[in-house]
Amino acid sequence: MSEFMDKLHSTFVEGDRWKYLTNGLKNTLIITFFAVILGMVLGFLIAIVRSSHDKTGKMKILNFFAKIYLTVIRGTPVMVQLLIIYYVIFASVRIDKMFVGILAFGLNSAAYVAEIVRSGIMSIDNGQFEAGASLGLNYRKTMFYIIMPQAFKNVLPALGNECIVLLKETSVAGYIALEDLTKGGDIIRSVTYEAFLPLIAVALIYLVIVMFMTYLVSRLERRLAKSDRG
Amino acid sequence: MIEVKGLKKSFGKQHILRGITTTIQKGEKVVVIGPSGSGKSTFLRCLNRLEKPTSGSIIFEGEDLTRASEKRLYEIREKMGMVFQHFHLFPHLSIMKNLTLAPVKLGLMSQEEANKSARAMLKKVGLSDKAEAFPNQLSGGQKQRIAIARALVMNPDVMLFDEPTSALDPEMVGEVLNLMKQLADEGMTMVVVTHEMGFAREVASRVIFIDEGVIAEENDPYNFFNNPQNPRLRQFLSKVL
């Protein structure tokens, strides 16, 4: 028992090593938060371009680039994308690693969000578009007031899941020497030569955040399900 | 009011409409019947340009819809109410919002004006108590009456009905037809695609029989039903009556 207490002490307390974890957690959360925003905004835009093209045949050029984007991003590992952005694209510039992280994970997430939202838009009955059109609402207004709110509700669980995946994917940020939560735990391990405690602690922290996010998503879902009563 | 000339529509190699010419006068109640796949729904959907005709022209209040710009097309649709077989209410919005969304977002009415107009329409269709309900809480007949109210809030010059009772349980057909009769009595110009022959007999000022993409016969309801000329129509009527 006292041996365990010693290990606890040397892993977290000695030399204020817990700060690696809190500081890492802070960075992980910041990256996730802004990457989610970037991913959602960009993803929704791409989804609108893609589905508008499929529905109306317009926006050919934008759709072409959107397709290339989706193919490249979804066809390569996020870690490789992160490394390319840091070591190739920003090779000759001094740049904040956090910014690189947000950019890489946000751009990556956007591709997945785009496909999720597009599937949500395509799943809405064409009659809804026609009803909008028959009332004189043009494509944009129909999309904004009628289609998107329904599509968003339908894909909310998938979007929540994407946020959770994104949070976990940021754990590869250490490859550009960014001190996120995973890297923080790993630093402790390399200092104390004790792997169990820091890594389990890291895993537990991820787990708690994921469970909390799951809870938030299910609450939001219940609120949006209001119109399904009856 | 609506002048259709040589209207043709094909989907790929399938020729659905093969040249339809007819004129719908203000105040007329035109009922369109025909076997399934005859093109009657496509004809109706061409009238407000939900389908783009392959050739021919549709002149509504002096304007050719086949040549109108996209923007103008949406403006014209404000004047043409449409009721669908499957209602197509907006499930994420309350009944009140279903009725007021279009006039408010198009800038035709303020929210208060739209609310007032919507309440009047709900009263007219007998569903005042459902203002705050959501579409999923309504029966099929109620949904269709709301769909009619939603179109009426826009103050249309003509109402297009695409098989409005075909998706309803039999006991709910009556309430919708009664409402349509009431509209007809008020002088609304109506084009109705339906299988309800009783409605056609009673309400129509003219009945059109579309078969294989052409108007095979059109007449006033009395002669249409009692003295059909076209052999296909005779055959059709013998099956449905």
Side-chain angles (χ1 to χ4, degrees):
Chain A
M1 191 64 201
S2 75
E3 193 195 357
F4 180 71
M5 293 307 284
D6 283 350
K7 275 188 178 173
L8 264 185
H9 189 264
S10 72
T11 301
F12 298 118
V13 184
E14 216 175 287
D16 280 344
R17 287 188 189 121
W18 56 273
K19 281 188 177 165
Y20 285 116
L21 294 184
T22 52
N23 199 42
L25 174 62
K26 190 188 82 192
N27 285 344
T28 290
L29 290 179
I30 291 173
I31 293 176
T32 305
F33 180 75
F34 287 104
V36 161
I37 292 178
L38 177 62
M40 290 286 166
V41 171
L42 192 59
F44 267 80
L45 291 177
I46 296 173
I48 289 171
V49 168
R50 294 274 292 115
S51 49
S52 298
H53 174 268
D54 290 357
K55 291 257 179 210
T56 65
K58 289 177 186 165
M59 303 209 247
K60 279 205 174 67
I61 297 170
L62 275 176
N63 180 60
F64 176 73
F65 285 112
K67 261 178 137 168
I68 291 181
Y69 182 81
L70 296 182
T71 308
V72 171
I73 295 286
R74 297 199 304 159
T76 53
V78 64
M79 205 175 95
V80 176
Q81 293 162 15
L82 177 72
L83 293 174
I84 289 177
I85 291 180
Y86 187 64
Y87 290 112
V88 179
I89 296 177
F90 291 119
S92 54
V93 220
R94 273 177 61 96
I95 190 146
D96 185 6
K97 283 177 191 148
M98 291 291 280
F99 175 75
V100 173
I102 290 167
L103 194 65
F105 294 113
L107 291 179
N108 179 268
S109 182
Y112 293 93
V113 169
E115 285 304 275
I116 291 170
V117 174
R118 186 173 78 98
S119 77
I121 294 172
M122 298 312 270
S123 75
I124 302 296
D125 180 12
N126 209 33
Q128 294 286 310
F129 282 95
E130 293 189 343
S134 78
L135 289 165
L137 294 166
N138 62 24
Y139 185 79
R140 221 183 57 229
K141 287 194 168 111
T142 302
M143 199 67 169
F144 192 77
Y145 294 115
I146 297 170
I147 306 301
M148 285 311 258
Q150 296 181 57
F152 181 70
K153 197 174 85 181
N154 289 351
V155 300
L156 195 67
L159 285 179
N161 202 39
E162 171 57 25
C163 293
I164 289 168
V165 169
L166 178 60
L167 170 83
K168 291 185 290 179
E169 275 185 343
T170 60
S171 62
V172 300
Y175 276 85
I176 60 167
L178 203 168
E179 290 185 14
D180 73 322
L181 178 58
T182 307
K183 185 77 178 172
D186 200 43
I187 290 174
I188 297 177
R189 181 194 59 79
S190 67
V191 175
T192 61
Y193 299 111
E194 158 61 41
F196 180 80
L197 281 175
L199 295 185
I200 291 296
V202 166
L204 279 176
I205 296 172
Y206 278 114
L207 185 63
V208 168
I209 305 172
V210 167
M211 284 167 70
F212 179 65
M213 286 166 86
T214 310
Y215 164 77
L216 283 186
V217 171
S218 69
R219 261 192 58 168
L220 189 57
E221 246 178 277
R222 247 175 295 152
R223 259 185 52 191
L224 289 177
K226 207 174 59 174
S227 59
D228 287 340
R229 288 172 313 184
Chain B
M1 176 181 249
I2 309 180
E3 221 181 315
V4 183
K5 283 186 204 154
L7 179 65
K8 288 184 188 172
K9 170 74 188 175
S10 17
F11 295 99
K13 281 190 176 158
Q14 244 191 319
H15 302 290
I16 304 296
L17 299 178
R18 299 159 183 265
I20 289 198
T21 301
T22 189
T23 303
I24 295 154
Q25 305 288 350
K26 190 168 164 42
E28 245 194 312
K29 293 99 187 61
V30 176
V31 171
V32 182
I33 65 170
S36 58
S38 60
K40 55 192 191 304
S41 274
T42 307
F43 165 68
L44 192 75
R45 290 159 58 81
C46 281
L47 291 183
N48 71 346
R49 277 289 315 272
L50 280 183
E51 299 290 353
K52 194 176 175 175
T54 311
S55 66
S57 61
I58 300 156
I59 295 154
F60 174 66
E61 296 178 346
E63 220 172 330
D64 190 346
L65 300 196
T66 54
R67 287 179 191 182
S69 70
E70 185 118 336
K71 184 166 170 285
R72 186 72 196 123
L73 213 49
Y74 285 106
E75 290 166 5
I76 293 167
R77 288 196 187 118
E78 294 171 11
K79 294 279 130 211
M80 306 175 102
M82 181 142 188
V83 175
F84 300 88
Q85 182 178 356
H86 295 287
F87 331 125
H88 299 328
L89 296 179
F90 308 132
H92 62 301
L93 298 176
S94 70
I95 298 307
M96 203 61 183
K97 287 275 178 201
N98 261 276
L99 267 61
T100 58
L101 178 79
V104 171
K105 297 305 176 195
L106 290 168
L108 304 173
M109 300 178 194
S110 69
Q111 185 69 52
E112 277 103 77
E113 288 170 325
N115 285 347
K116 204 173 146 214
S117 167
R119 270 193 289 272
M121 286 309 160
L122 285 179
K123 196 168 170 206
K124 181 181 187 136
V125 303
L127 291 169
S128 293
D129 55 327
K130 299 293 183 190
E132 297 312 318
F134 282 86
N136 289 357
Q137 298 167 303
L138 304 183
S139 72
Q142 291 173 332
K143 280 183 195 170
Q144 197 59 298
R145 281 147 69 197
I146 292 297
I148 293 171
R150 179 176 70 178
L152 288 176
V153 171
M154 297 292 291
N155 279 321
D157 293 341
V158 55
M159 285 284 284
L160 310 175
F161 293 86
D162 189 4
E163 303 200 25
T165 58
S166 298
L168 297 179
D169 290 339
E171 78 266 26
M172 293 169 182
V173 170
E175 60 187 86
V176 172
L177 291 182
N178 283 337
L179 175 60
M180 289 166 65
K181 260 176 227 165
Q182 185 193 333
L183 266 184
D185 291 341
E186 287 166 12
M188 175 64 77
T189 310
M190 294 163 61
V191 184
V192 185
V193 171
T194 186
H195 295 291
E196 295 294 330
M197 297 303 149
F199 178 84
R201 249 183 229 273
E202 204 177 323
V203 179
S205 54
R206 177 157 52 111
V207 187
I208 292 179
F209 177 62
I210 292 189
D211 184 45
E212 296 189 332
V214 294
I215 294 182
E217 182 151 345
E218 59 180 317
N219 215 330
D220 61 87
Y222 182 83
N223 285 311
F224 185 91
F225 287 107
N226 295 323
N227 190 16
Q229 301 298 311
N230 183 293
R232 298 270 303 187
L233 173 59
R234 263 183 239 159
Q235 199 187 9
F236 178 74
L237 288 179
S238 73
K239 278 184 201 154
V240 296
L241 287 182

